[in-house]
Amino acid sequence: MKRNTWQREAVKSALDAQEAFVSAQQLHATLRDDGTAIGLATVYRALSDLAAAGGADSLQSAEGEALYRACTPGQHHHHLICRNCGVTVEIEATHVEQWAKSIATEHGFTQPEHVVDVFGLCPECTALSAG
Amino acid sequence: MKRNTWQREAVKSALDAQEAFVSAQQLHATLRDDGTAIGLATVYRALSDLAAAGGADSLQSAEGEALYRACTPGQHHHHLICRNCGVTVEIEATHVEQWAKSIATEHGFTQPEHVVDVFGLCPECTALSAG
DNA sequence: CGTCTTATTGATAATGATTGTCAACATCAG
DNA sequence: CTGATGTTGACAATCATTATCAATAAGACG
């Protein structure tokens, strides 16, 4: 049976409060800073449960860390991510969905899934780097 | 000054001999099995040099390992990868390039880069899983 | 061919994210 | 309230990757 604990709630709402992709470590630090005493392992577990349940998106940073972000459940979407500050915009990619399916089929591949993410500098970071 | 060593040559040709993405560890094991005494650290170094020089593509597996594959230098391309056996097909994605640029611009993002990879089951693995 | 400079190697230690362990604890049905 | 058991959290363990550093070898030069 699945139980509801304040820890899982805390992780969920801490993730909701983020506008950018964050690592488990960062989220753990944030929670601690907010006065929430929670174990690191628990944050890892809560995040991977959330991701498995579709309540969060995850991706790997260039350095290999796992990053998480709250998302609308059930929606398949992709991301436009600032490589400097991490700010994220959800984007739709109907075109790309179609393209991925057809290219897979062309080559005889089945059960296609795809990883599509766009990295760049957000307006703010662009301004900063220009100044 | 950059020196030519048999170790780097060995890594390069071992990578060329692979039709799938492989990890540094796997490549090291392969080399050892072939009777080539080479250090693990050297394989790591050779692979990241190769990738930096454009002689190899790299991506992160779902488990977070770095995987490498020989590729045509200078060509920007994406991959269709079998999630079971790792076989890889290089694909072009002119559409997607354009789309990535325009979506980034729309949101005020600059210097767009993108990660686009399609995973699926190759014809062989599809047949196997069906049988 | 020898010699010298220094890039490279490789065994091993160190790092750092993530996962496993397991006793103590909290949740929820009854 | 109480008991069965899912969950927590401190810490150890794991695993890929990187740093360390003495020993080695590539290549320029004579």
Side-chain angles (χ1 to χ4, degrees):
Chain A
M1 184 206 318
K2 193 122 183 180
R3 291 176 184 171
N4 297 327
T5 64
W6 65 264
Q7 285 95 334
R8 274 200 269 261
E9 291 303 320
V11 169
K12 198 185 298 185
S13 66
L15 194 62
D16 280 339
Q18 299 291 329
E19 52 179 339
F21 270 86
V22 290
S23 67
Q25 310 259 357
Q26 287 173 331
L27 204 62
H28 178 244
T30 303
L31 284 161
R32 282 290 174 93
D33 287 349
D34 289 351
T36 308
I38 187 174
L40 179 56
T42 304
V43 176
Y44 273 102
R45 282 185 291 242
L47 284 175
S48 72
D49 285 356
L50 260 181
D57 280 327
S58 67
L59 61 80
Q60 309 254 341
S61 76
E63 294 80 38
E65 282 177 290
L67 303 182
Y68 295 87
R69 174 86 202 285
C71 75
T72 339
Q75 293 265 2
H76 182 70
H77 46 242
H78 300 287
H79 299 96
L80 175 57
I81 305 152
C82 175
R83 79 168 70 90
N84 185 237
C85 69
V87 159
T88 304
V89 180
E90 288 191 4
I91 54 185
E92 299 219 1
T94 322
H95 268 140
V96 180
E97 311 286 334
Q98 297 302 327
W99 167 82
K101 263 184 205 159
S102 59
I103 201 110
T105 306
E106 268 177 42
H107 290 271
F109 278 57
T110 59
Q111 303 178 32
E113 288 175 20
H114 51 273
V115 176
V116 174
D117 288 302
V118 183
F119 294 85
L121 284 182
C122 72
E124 285 188 21
C125 291
T126 300
L128 284 177
S129 78
Chain B
M1 183 209 315
K2 192 118 182 183
R3 293 177 183 172
N4 296 326
T5 63
W6 64 263
Q7 285 96 335
R8 273 201 269 261
E9 291 302 322
V11 169
K12 197 185 299 184
S13 64
L15 194 60
D16 281 339
Q18 300 290 329
E19 52 179 339
F21 271 85
V22 290
S23 68
Q25 309 260 357
Q26 287 172 332
L27 206 60
H28 178 243
T30 302
L31 283 161
R32 283 291 176 92
D33 288 348
D34 289 350
T36 308
I38 187 172
L40 179 56
T42 304
V43 176
Y44 274 101
R45 281 185 292 241
L47 283 175
S48 73
D49 285 358
L50 261 181
D57 281 326
S58 67
L59 61 81
Q60 309 252 344
S61 76
E63 295 78 39
E65 282 177 290
L67 303 182
Y68 295 88
R69 174 86 202 283
C71 74
T72 340
Q75 293 265 3
H76 182 69
H77 47 241
H78 299 287
H79 299 97
L80 176 57
I81 304 151
C82 175
R83 80 167 68 89
N84 185 238
C85 68
V87 160
T88 305
V89 180
E90 288 191 4
I91 53 185
E92 300 220 1
T94 321
H95 268 140
V96 181
E97 312 286 332
Q98 298 302 328
W99 167 83
K101 264 184 206 159
S102 60
I103 201 113
T105 307
E106 267 177 42
H107 291 271
F109 277 58
T110 58
Q111 302 176 34
E113 288 175 22
H114 52 273
V115 176
V116 174
D117 288 300
V118 182
F119 294 84
L121 285 181
C122 72
E124 284 187 23
C125 290
T126 300
L128 285 176
S129 80

